[in-house]
Amino acid sequence: MGKTVTTELLRFIALDREPPEKRVAAARRRDFDEIYEVFAPDEAAAQASRCSQCGIPFCQVHCPLHNNIPDWLMLTASGRLEEAYEMAAATNSFPEICGRICPQDRLCEGNCVIEKGFGGVTIGAVETFITETAFASGWVKPPRPAAERGSSVAIVGAGPAGLAAAERLRGKGHRVEVYDRYDRAGGLLVYGIPNFKLDKRVVARREALLLDGGVIFHKGFALGRDATLDELRARHDAVLIATGVYKAREIALPGVGLGNLVAALDYLTASNRKGLGDAVPAFDSGALDARGKDVVVIGGGDTAMDCLRTAVRQGARSVKCLYRRDRANMPGSMREVAHAEEEGVEFIWLAAPEAFAGDEVVREVRVQRMRLGAPDSSGRQRPQPIAGSSFRLPCDLAIMALGFDPDDLPAMFAAPDLETTGWGTLKIDRATSMTNLDGVFAAGDIVRGASLVVWAIKDGRDAADSIDAWLGGVVGRTMKTVVTAA
Ligand SMILES: Cc1cc2nc3c(=O)[nH]c(=O)nc-3n(C[C@H](O)[C@H](O)[C@H](O)COP(=O)(O)OP(=O)(O)OC[C@H]3O[C@@H](n4cnc5c(N)ncnc54)[C@H](O)[C@@H]3O)c2cc1C
Ligand code: SF4
């Protein structure tokens, strides 16, 4: 007779939290491979069995997708992996991606009831295990609709928001055409996030499934350059804008015009392209390669962490992070800070650049010590410079990771009536994901500002459901099944 659920769960007192095997830092520093292994089946079952099956699952509440975590943990602990996968996939379009790169310490795992005292359940790693098992077992299927609906939807942007929407809309029978200015699908999953956090093959595998399901991709197509928004609206019944936010924030300091002072995303994109085997002249010339250099990264978010850890792997002489607040107040995931420290990154807390100096290229950064003063309007303590505290750091590659803002989309898309918020993000009706333009929807970072993959997936799914309802509800609408060149 099979074991009952109760003997298989609630084992958090007897069993310690054990994340999957993490490669040692010395080996990690030498390559761009993912740093965690995927659980073996017995490890996943044991870790899933630690779930306390509590009455109010705070993990689920704090997961943006409200994944049914306690149930798929229970199914994993019981060895019912196909059902576990079906349950995980019911709420998440890309569980294997979230399992790898969600900041679980701030979301599901950080809110696990047994976190205090016992260590939370390794939810993300179990989610990855379930979905990798599903791929290996052939349970993951392309989106194949029961019937074609005769409607056509354009999705602009093949990041996680656009791809999640594409999967859902195609599954509901709409013709889906995804337009992206890049040559690969994935958005920041491919060109921002480094391979050591998310192997690019994991993203390519999803693209292949979408293609198999009949989603049409138009790569190298930039809205605004290759068509206006109105032209795209004329070709399709609905348009979803999921173009992300890419305008790098800058700081005005003496010396910012010097060479070898680069934007984080330029640096990461070059590294990711190199890893994918592309020709990258700016990397080969050394301009975007940290090898042998004293690297200083400015910023304290996840992008900064990715730059630091990329520089380590490229063979930098030294890698330092300047952040103007302290460790407790940094926006990046603590887990990523710990990984960076293990790999040899030096963090200089409460420190901000004052000026860059050099001949044609940067040679040093003048840094000022900071202290935290009274809270500002956001409630965070405002950093204030400490007079006379300046010091110098040698630097021959400075990477600015200060965050991103949206581009001016109404101007870019020749759509002056497209409404934006005060921050330049697209304004939508939260209930329908529709912008002020009829049949034009938006999702992901371009609505929220720079955020997380899991939120982009949530927004993409929500927008897809709204588009589906809107298309179904528009009585007498003439569907535009125009075939455009791929
Ligand atoms: C370096 C870095 C590391 C990150 N690490 C993490 C992490 O570990 N975990 C996490 O959850 N989140 C992380 N994020 C955030 C996460 O990547 C984003 O929140 C998420 O990718 C947003 O998804 P999106 O689909 O809205 O936009 P994007 O992923 O930015 O995709 C937008 C797509 O639109 C395309 N596009 C833009 N303009 C046009 C146009 N005019 N015409 C056609 N196509 C266009 C782009 O080429 C791109 O493919 C990270 C971000 C960065 C920059
Ligand atoms: S999607 Fe992210 S937050 Fe939700 S359960 Fe998975 S890892 Fe946790």
Side-chain angles (χ1 to χ4, degrees), residues 59-60 62-67 69 72 92 94-95 97-104 107-109 123-125 127 454 457:
C59 55
Q60 181 170 8
H62 288 272
C63 165
L65 291 160
H66 302 309
N67 281 342
I69 301 163
W72 48 251
N92 190 351
F94 312 126
I97 294 178
C98 292
R100 284 174 165 89
I101 59 166
C102 270
Q104 286 102 4
L107 301 171
C108 53
E109 294 180 17
I123 295 167
E127 194 175 17
V454 64
I457 294 172

Coordinates of all heavy atoms in Angstrom, one line a residue, residues 59-60 62-67 69 72 92 94-95 97-104 107-109 123-125 127 454 457, ligand 2:
C59 N 3.5 31.4 1.3 CA 4.4 31.2 0.1 C 3.5 31.5 -1.2 O 3.9 32.3 -2.1 CB 4.9 29.8 0.0 SG 3.7 28.5 0.0
Q60 N 2.3 31.0 -1.2 CA 1.4 31.2 -2.3 C 0.9 32.6 -2.4 O 0.9 33.2 -3.5 CB 0.2 30.2 -2.2 CG -0.8 30.3 -3.3 CD -1.8 29.2 -3.2 OE1 -1.9 28.4 -2.3 NE2 -2.6 29.0 -4.3
H62 N 2.5 35.2 -1.5 CA 3.6 36.1 -1.9 C 4.2 35.7 -3.2 O 5.2 36.4 -3.6 CB 4.7 36.2 -0.7 CG 4.2 37.0 0.4 ND1 4.3 38.3 0.5 CD2 3.5 36.6 1.5 CE1 3.7 38.7 1.7 NE2 3.2 37.7 2.3
C63 N 3.8 34.7 -3.8 CA 4.2 34.4 -5.2 C 3.3 35.2 -6.1 O 2.1 35.1 -6.0 CB 4.0 32.9 -5.5 SG 4.1 32.6 -7.3
P64 N 3.9 36.1 -7.0 CA 3.1 36.9 -7.8 C 2.1 36.1 -8.7 O 1.0 36.6 -9.0 CB 4.1 37.6 -8.7 CG 5.3 37.7 -7.9 CD 5.3 36.4 -7.1
L65 N 2.4 34.9 -9.0 CA 1.5 34.0 -9.8 C 0.5 33.2 -8.9 O -0.3 32.5 -9.5 CB 2.3 33.1 -10.7 CG 3.1 33.8 -11.8 CD1 4.3 32.9 -12.2 CD2 2.2 34.1 -12.9
H66 N 0.7 33.4 -7.6 CA -0.2 32.6 -6.7 C -0.1 31.1 -7.0 O -1.1 30.4 -7.0 CB -1.6 33.1 -6.6 CG -1.7 34.6 -6.2 ND1 -1.0 35.0 -5.1 CD2 -2.3 35.6 -6.8 CE1 -1.2 36.3 -5.0 NE2 -1.9 36.7 -6.0
N67 N 1.1 30.7 -7.3 CA 1.3 29.2 -7.6 C 0.7 28.4 -6.4 O 0.9 28.8 -5.3 CB 2.8 28.9 -7.7 CG 3.3 29.3 -9.1 OD1 2.6 29.5 -10.0 ND2 4.6 29.4 -9.2
I69 N 1.6 26.2 -4.4 CA 2.9 25.6 -4.0 C 2.6 24.4 -3.0 O 3.2 23.3 -3.3 CB 3.8 26.7 -3.3 CG1 4.0 27.8 -4.4 CG2 5.1 26.1 -2.8 CD1 4.6 29.1 -3.8
W72 N 1.7 21.3 -5.1 CA 2.7 20.6 -5.9 C 3.9 20.1 -5.1 O 4.6 19.2 -5.5 CB 3.1 21.3 -7.2 CG 3.4 22.8 -7.3 CD1 2.7 23.7 -7.9 CD2 4.7 23.4 -7.0 NE1 3.3 24.9 -8.0 CE2 4.6 24.8 -7.4 CE3 5.8 23.0 -6.3 CZ2 5.6 25.7 -7.2 CZ3 6.9 24.0 -6.1 CH2 6.7 25.3 -6.5
N92 N 1.8 29.0 -14.1 CA 3.1 29.6 -14.5 C 3.5 29.1 -15.9 O 3.6 27.9 -16.1 CB 4.2 29.2 -13.5 CG 5.5 30.0 -13.7 OD1 5.6 30.7 -14.7 ND2 6.4 29.9 -12.8
F94 N 6.3 29.6 -17.4 CA 7.7 29.1 -17.5 C 8.3 28.8 -16.1 O 9.1 29.5 -15.5 CB 8.6 30.2 -18.1 CG 8.0 30.8 -19.4 CD1 7.8 32.1 -19.6 CD2 7.6 29.9 -20.4 CE1 7.3 32.6 -20.7 CE2 7.1 30.4 -21.6 CZ 6.9 31.8 -21.8
P95 N 7.7 27.7 -15.4 CA 8.1 27.4 -14.1 C 9.6 27.2 -13.9 O 10.2 27.5 -12.9 CB 7.3 26.2 -13.7 CG 6.4 25.9 -14.8 CD 6.8 26.7 -16.0
I97 N 12.0 28.6 -15.4 CA 12.7 29.9 -15.4 C 12.6 30.5 -14.1 O 13.5 31.0 -13.4 CB 12.3 30.7 -16.6 CG1 12.6 30.1 -17.9 CG2 12.8 32.2 -16.5 CD1 12.2 30.8 -19.2
C98 N 11.3 30.6 -13.6 CA 11.1 31.2 -12.3 C 11.9 30.5 -11.2 O 12.4 31.1 -10.3 CB 9.6 31.3 -11.9 SG 8.8 32.4 -13.0
G99 N 11.8 29.2 -11.3 CA 12.5 28.4 -10.2 C 14.0 28.7 -10.2 O 14.6 28.7 -9.1
R100 N 14.6 29.1 -11.3 CA 16.0 29.4 -11.3 C 16.2 30.9 -10.9 O 17.2 31.1 -10.2 CB 16.5 29.2 -12.7 CG 16.8 27.8 -13.1 CD 17.2 27.7 -14.6 NE 17.7 26.5 -15.0 CZ 17.1 25.4 -15.4 NH1 15.7 25.5 -15.5 NH2 17.7 24.3 -15.8
I101 N 15.4 31.8 -11.3 CA 15.8 33.2 -11.1 C 14.9 34.1 -10.3 O 15.2 35.3 -10.2 CB 16.2 33.9 -12.5 CG1 14.9 33.9 -13.4 CG2 17.4 33.3 -13.1 CD1 15.1 34.8 -14.6
C102 N 13.8 33.6 -9.8 CA 13.0 34.4 -8.9 C 13.9 34.7 -7.7 O 14.6 33.9 -7.2 CB 11.8 33.7 -8.4 SG 10.4 33.9 -9.5
P103 N 13.8 35.9 -7.1 CA 14.4 36.2 -5.8 C 13.6 35.6 -4.7 O 12.8 36.3 -4.0 CB 14.5 37.7 -5.7 CG 13.4 38.2 -6.6 CD 13.1 37.1 -7.7
Q104 N 13.7 34.3 -4.6 CA 12.7 33.6 -3.7 C 12.8 34.1 -2.2 O 11.9 34.0 -1.5 CB 13.0 32.0 -3.7 CG 12.5 31.4 -5.0 CD 13.7 31.1 -5.9 OE1 14.8 31.4 -5.6 NE2 13.3 30.6 -7.1
L107 N 10.2 36.5 -2.0 CA 8.9 36.1 -2.4 C 8.4 34.8 -1.7 O 8.2 34.9 -0.5 CB 8.9 35.9 -4.0 CG 9.3 37.1 -4.8 CD1 9.5 36.7 -6.2 CD2 8.3 38.2 -4.7
C108 N 8.3 33.7 -2.4 CA 7.7 32.5 -1.8 C 8.5 32.0 -0.6 O 7.9 31.9 0.5 CB 7.6 31.4 -2.8 SG 9.1 31.1 -3.7
E109 N 9.8 31.8 -0.7 CA 10.6 31.1 0.4 C 10.7 32.0 1.6 O 10.7 31.6 2.7 CB 11.9 30.7 -0.2 CG 11.8 29.6 -1.2 CD 13.1 29.1 -1.8 OE1 14.2 29.4 -1.2 OE2 13.1 28.5 -2.8
I123 N 11.5 26.0 -2.4 CA 10.4 26.0 -3.4 C 10.9 26.1 -4.8 O 10.5 25.4 -5.7 CB 9.4 27.1 -3.0 CG1 8.8 26.8 -1.6 CG2 8.3 27.2 -4.1 CD1 8.0 28.0 -1.0
G124 N 11.8 27.1 -5.0 CA 12.2 27.4 -6.4 C 12.9 26.2 -7.0 O 12.7 25.8 -8.1
A125 N 13.8 25.6 -6.2 CA 14.6 24.4 -6.7 C 13.6 23.2 -7.0 O 13.8 22.5 -8.0 CB 15.6 24.0 -5.7
E127 N 10.5 23.6 -7.9 CA 9.8 24.0 -9.2 C 10.6 23.7 -10.4 O 10.1 23.2 -11.4 CB 9.4 25.5 -9.1 CG 8.4 26.0 -10.1 CD 8.0 27.5 -9.8 OE1 8.8 28.2 -9.2 OE2 7.0 27.9 -10.4
V454 N 9.0 37.1 -13.0 CA 7.7 36.5 -12.5 C 6.5 37.5 -12.7 O 5.4 37.1 -13.1 CB 7.8 35.9 -11.1 CG1 8.1 37.0 -10.1 CG2 6.6 35.1 -10.7
I457 N 5.7 37.6 -16.4 CA 4.9 36.5 -16.8 C 3.4 36.7 -16.4 O 2.5 36.4 -17.1 CB 5.5 35.2 -16.2 CG1 6.8 34.9 -16.8 CG2 4.5 34.0 -16.4 CD1 7.6 33.7 -16.1
Ligands
SF4_2 S1 7.2 31.7 -9.4 FE1 8.8 32.5 -8.2 S2 7.8 33.3 -6.4 FE2 6.3 31.9 -7.4 S3 6.7 29.9 -6.4 FE3 8.0 30.0 -8.2 S4 10.0 30.7 -7.5 FE4 8.5 31.2 -5.9

